[in-house]
Amino acid sequence: MSVNRPTKRCFVHWQVRGLLLLGRQRQALERITEALQAHPSDARALATRAHVLAELGEKPAALQALADLVALEPGQAASWFNYGFLSEELGLLEQAENAFQRAVAIDPRLDRAWYGLALSLIRQRRFDEAISALKKNTELQPMSPYGWYQLARVHVQRQEPDEATKIIRHLRRFDPKVAAQLERETGLGGRRLKSA
């Protein structure tokens, strides 16, 4: 009795999931590699391969798996985000920027892609563009301190302490710890922060 291909692929995916749950990343990677040799266009296997390789610290190989994935399915915003995230981590800032741009073009509400785009622009010292991306991020995630934190830091870099102070005051309303951290890091803690 032979097992049809979709059923066999599903079984392999469940095997891989089980191996990962047991902490057997290397064995899972071997099964994923076998699956991809049989079906090179298995997007799920490519995504899993990238994830496992990244967990194992093999980031260039993980990036290649993600490159294969976005080439295979260019309309997936999450794949572009992951490609951008890993590219940025490896210092490939222009590649990261392009990937994040693709992600937000596909899904303009993907707040973490706007944030990633901003970080890659900040590292390239392109502060005006970073501010635009951070404003989009904070619009989509108004209660997350991360975008606000980076936005304040960019304003400090641009010699705009009043703008940074406004952000600190805003952060105090919902995340006083991050606001206090920003005050310490920027030296704006001594400035009189008027209430809104």
Side-chain angles (χ1 to χ4, degrees), residues 22-43:
L22 294 171
R24 297 180 178 171
Q25 283 90 351
R26 289 282 172 204
Q27 286 177 296
L29 189 57
E30 288 172 16
R31 292 297 291 145
I32 295 165
T33 302
E34 291 168 13
L36 285 168
Q37 287 170 347
H39 305 283
S41 62
D42 185 341

Side-chain angles (χ1 to χ4, degrees), residues 89-117:
E89 223 175 74
L90 292 170
L92 305 168
L93 301 180
E94 288 180 23
Q95 183 172 298
E97 176 189 348
N98 291 332
F100 290 131
Q101 290 279 14
R102 289 290 297 267
V104 297
I106 295 164
D107 183 358
R109 299 206 47 84
L110 190 58
D111 58 276
R112 63 186 191 266
W114 286 108
Y115 184 74
L117 175 59

Side-chain angles (χ1 to χ4, degrees), residues 51 54 59 62-63 66 77-93 95-101 103 112-113 115-117 119-120 123:
H51 176 76
K59 292 182 181 178
L63 187 63
L66 287 170
S79 298
W80 281 107
F81 167 78
N82 290 331
Y83 185 64
F85 178 82
L86 201 49
S87 295
E88 185 184 0
E89 223 175 74
L90 292 170
L92 305 168
L93 301 180
Q95 183 172 298
E97 176 189 348
N98 291 332
F100 290 131
Q101 290 279 14
R112 63 186 191 266
Y115 184 74
L117 175 59
L119 293 180
S120 65
R123 288 183 64 190

Side-chain angles (χ1 to χ4, degrees), residues 115 138 142-153 164-189 193:
Y115 184 74
T138 56
M143 298 306 288
S144 172
Y146 303 109
W148 294 109
Y149 172 87
Q150 292 297 337
L151 190 55
R153 302 279 309 169
T165 300
K166 287 178 192 174
I167 292 168
I168 292 170
R169 186 176 29 213
H170 175 72
L171 271 170
R172 277 188 176 168
R173 294 181 193 146
F174 66 93
D175 201 324
K177 287 183 182 178
V178 173
Q181 179 182 343
L182 265 170
E183 289 175 350
R184 285 190 305 275
E185 290 177 1
T186 62
L188 296 175
L193 300 176

